[in-house]
Amino acid sequence: MLRQPEAFAAMFAARYAQQAEFRLHYRAAPTEWVQDAAPASAQSRCWLGLVIPKKFCKPAVRRNLIKRVMRQALRELRLPSEAQMQAPVLMLRLTRKLPAEFRSARSPALLAYVQQAVNALLKSWIERTVVVTGRSAA
């Protein structure tokens, strides 16, 4: 996870994908981060930062729901088997208030809405950054 303010500041300047109220900033991990990681896990390692401000999402239950959904989506993420990529650094950020129709933080509709937005962001990120080593057309 991202913890240092410098790491978050660098991520705000990184490229991003936007989906409704969410923005996913992404970049490749710095080489010193990858070197510090264990060699076997360096390829599959992913650094994650979550920015869910109280200004846009007052109830802590909703903020925690968004964080849980993002972590779960990353655990379930399946890249193409031929994919080659550097270890990514991702930061999910809530950029404006969620729709007022979600009154309860425990509503299944809110959960489905957040899951759909996060999965669309991850799909967009994969399409933009993952390089697939294709088979040569012979």
Side-chain angles (χ1 to χ4, degrees), residues 50-129:
L50 299 163
V51 179
I52 317 293
K54 284 184 187 178
K55 177 180 177 182
F56 299 132
C57 189
K58 295 263 187 229
V61 211
R62 283 187 185 191
R63 293 194 307 272
N64 292 337
L65 171 94
I66 294 168
K67 293 173 188 179
R68 261 195 325 272
V69 167
M70 181 61 181
R71 288 183 194 118
Q72 187 62 33
L74 277 177
R75 275 187 223 109
E76 295 172 354
L77 183 65
R78 299 287 177 248
L79 296 174
S81 58
E82 306 88 21
Q84 287 202 338
M85 64 183 289
Q86 289 181 307
V89 181
L90 303 173
M91 182 180 73
L92 179 70
R93 178 176 156 196
L94 183 65
T95 57
R96 57 182 183 254
K97 289 185 176 185
L98 292 170
E101 65 196 51
F102 303 119
R103 301 222 182 269
S104 170
R106 298 179 57 128
S107 76
L110 175 62
L111 177 64
Y113 180 80
V114 172
Q115 284 176 334
Q116 181 272 329
V118 167
N119 287 332
L121 279 172
L122 288 174
K123 182 179 177 190
S124 173
W125 165 67
I126 289 171
E127 290 171 354
R128 292 177 186 197
T129 61

Side-chain angles (χ1 to χ4, degrees), residues 13-70:
R15 296 174 28 179
Y16 64 86
Q18 179 87 28
Q19 173 72 26
E21 295 84 12
F22 298 97
R23 185 177 287 176
L24 182 71
H25 294 264
Y26 56 90
R27 69 183 183 121
T31 53
E32 60 270 8
W33 291 11
V34 176
Q35 290 171 351
D36 291 344
S41 66
Q43 280 293 10
S44 62
R45 181 117 190 206
C46 176
W47 285 269
L48 175 65
L50 299 163
V51 179
I52 317 293
K54 284 184 187 178
K55 177 180 177 182
F56 299 132
C57 189
K58 295 263 187 229
V61 211
R62 283 187 185 191
R63 293 194 307 272
N64 292 337
L65 171 94
I66 294 168
K67 293 173 188 179
R68 261 195 325 272
V69 167
M70 181 61 181

